[in-house]
DNA sequence: TCTTAATGGATACAGTCGTATCCTAACCGA
DNA sequence: TCGGTTAGGATACGACTGTATCCATTAAGA
């Protein structure tokens, strides 16, 4: 293999450059030329590996989704034996809140995409499937937890999950604007999980 | 006094045109020429009443804040004699959630501004003061409510207010993306207010 | 009535945007 | 060794951006 700097590797580098710009200077600052400069390649190279700006933007959104997925799995793995329903919820909600610099940047980019999708139907299709899938998944887990008697029978799992996800999103927004620290946001989430699952040992998020 | 088509009236028309574009096509679709077209005036008129695009954008943000303020007061007035702490909270949270087409458009524009402010320090100063002021105000009300014995003494007013505001923001986001209806979001908010204030008569938001 | 300031139409300017084209190299299998 | 594909440099095109300038019209104060 001669030329072969690897097609996919190149695309990954460019996508990362795109996300770096989107998270620090916003999605409107993303242009073909800016990406080329950020990745230290020529404009032609960006055009070569992505036919469109549209294709480039979609690649960025896909990568963000993959990173989020990776973070959730990491937390689930870190919780080790604690595969309790509460452990799953804590892992997902903990993965949503920006905890370190990288997840903060990713959240900023994600917010930028989400906002753009609200007025751009092209992005809406790609971007809004993840939240729905998450809600369905968590609701299923919480329903079995309720059947096992782990939470009050008068709670509605779907409503509880919707509220927790909305809470995490709202808290994320306040963390991104530096209204609140990550720790303060995580404490609020824990508090609500305690209320939901009743008095029992708290799973510590154990972040940085 | 010269021509007197009223300077302020003209500026208001242009600001409204700006917000109409921002809420339907996004903040990146806002240009001097687009505003001129939307307001059915010439480009020169837009330039005449606003020195900068920056000044125009700031005017839009100020107007959005004023509208939100108006909506909160309207709900507070509609709650009439119900000036209980819970009534105040219900009014504010109900005003945050998009309930009709106009408030939906305003929320979309607000979200666009908020996202832009995350990466544009110029907007951050103007835009992020309102949420903080709201949180302080509501915390004060909830604290006196706690001293009067209306809520559990082991609740932390600041945390509760922060959680409710974050919840409302997260729900707003899901309403905007049509993941959830306004009614579903309002029900979740009511549910949490019930939990906070204990079993008592619920203030009905009475929104179409 | 004359002057002057307010108002706004028409046009221009220098950038930046996404995209397209032209032209080298370098490497492949045949 | 010879096409042919892959990879990328250089440049150009038309559209759009914010802003500035030139000019005409109008109304109010003197």
């Amino acid at each position: 293999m001669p030329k072969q700097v690897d097609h996919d590797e190149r695309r990954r580098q460019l996508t990362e450059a795109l996300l770096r710009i989107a998270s620090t200077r916003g999605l409107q600052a993303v242009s073909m030329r800016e990406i080329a400069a950020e990745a230290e390649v020529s404009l032609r190279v960006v055009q070569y590996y992505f036919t469109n700006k549209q294709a480039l933007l979609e690649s960025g959104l896909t990568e963000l989704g993959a990173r989020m997925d990776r973070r959730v799995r990491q937390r689930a793995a870190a919780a080790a034996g604690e595969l309790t329903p509460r452990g799953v919820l804590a892992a997902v909600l903990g993965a949503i809140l920006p905890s370190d610099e990288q997840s903060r940047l990713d959240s900023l980019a994600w917010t930028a995409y989400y906002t753009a999708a609200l007025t751009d139907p092209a992005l809406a299709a790609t971007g809004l499937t993840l939240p729905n899938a998450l809600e369905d998944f968590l609701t299923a887990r919480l329903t079995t937890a309720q059947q096992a008697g782990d939470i009050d029978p008068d709670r509605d799992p779907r409503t509880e999950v919707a509220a927790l996800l909305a809470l995490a999103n709202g808290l994320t927004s306040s963390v991104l604007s530096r209204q609140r620290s990550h720790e303060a946001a995580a404490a609020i989430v824990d508090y609500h999980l305690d209320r939901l699952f009743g008095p029992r040992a708290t799973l510590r998020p154990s972040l940085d």
Side-chain angles (χ1 to χ4, degrees), chain A:
Chain A
M1 313 278 188
K3 299 286 190 60
Q4 290 308 81
V5 194
D6 198 4
H7 205 85
D8 292 346
E9 168 70 11
R10 274 286 210 207
R11 287 174 61 99
R12 209 180 48 79
Q13 290 173 353
L14 293 174
T15 301
E16 284 173 4
L18 154 63
L19 291 181
R20 246 174 285 141
I21 297 173
S23 57
T24 54
R25 279 177 291 159
L27 211 46
Q28 93 290 347
V30 170
S31 77
M32 298 281 178
R33 288 168 177 83
E34 282 295 328
I35 294 173
E38 174 72 29
E40 291 180 295
V41 297
S42 76
L43 169 61
R44 184 67 178 83
V45 170
V46 181
Q47 284 188 283
Y48 189 80
Y49 288 95
F50 292 93
T51 60
N52 265 346
K53 185 181 184 181
Q54 179 68 24
L56 202 25
L57 289 178
E58 283 171 10
S59 167
L61 191 46
T62 303
E63 168 68 15
L64 276 182
R67 290 186 189 180
M68 172 65 76
D69 195 70
R70 225 174 297 143
R71 261 190 272 269
V72 171
R73 288 179 203 287
Q74 246 171 255
R75 293 203 171 238
E82 290 280 6
L83 288 176
T84 62
R86 168 165 185 153
V88 173
L89 261 175
V92 171
L93 297 177
I96 290 180
L97 290 181
S99 51
D100 53 12
E101 188 54 24
Q102 187 55 54
S103 63
R104 164 170 233 276
L105 291 175
D106 287 349
S107 271
L108 280 168
W110 179 268
T111 300
Y113 267 106
Y114 196 92
T115 303
L118 289 177
T119 48
D120 178 8
L123 283 176
T126 315
L128 301 180
T129 53
L130 193 85
N132 275 319
L134 248 184
E135 185 166 327
D136 291 343
F137 171 71
L138 292 181
T139 299
R141 302 290 296 220
L142 206 54
T143 300
T144 66
Q146 191 177 43
Q147 285 161 353
D150 284 342
I151 66 173
D152 264 3
D154 68 334
R155 301 256 188 170
D156 176 39
R158 169 145 248 116
T159 300
E160 295 290 342
V161 166
L164 282 170
L165 285 175
L167 176 67
N169 279 334
L171 288 173
T172 293
S173 170
S174 68
V175 170
L176 291 182
S177 65
R178 303 196 189 278
Q179 244 192 311
R180 198 182 329 276
S181 71
H182 157 68
E183 287 73 19
I188 294 179
V189 167
D190 272 354
Y191 172 83
H192 278 257
L193 284 181
D194 284 342
R195 293 259 164 188
L196 178 56
F197 285 95
R200 66 175 54 200
T202 305
L203 256 198
R204 308 204 307 103
S206 94
L207 245 286
D208 54 320

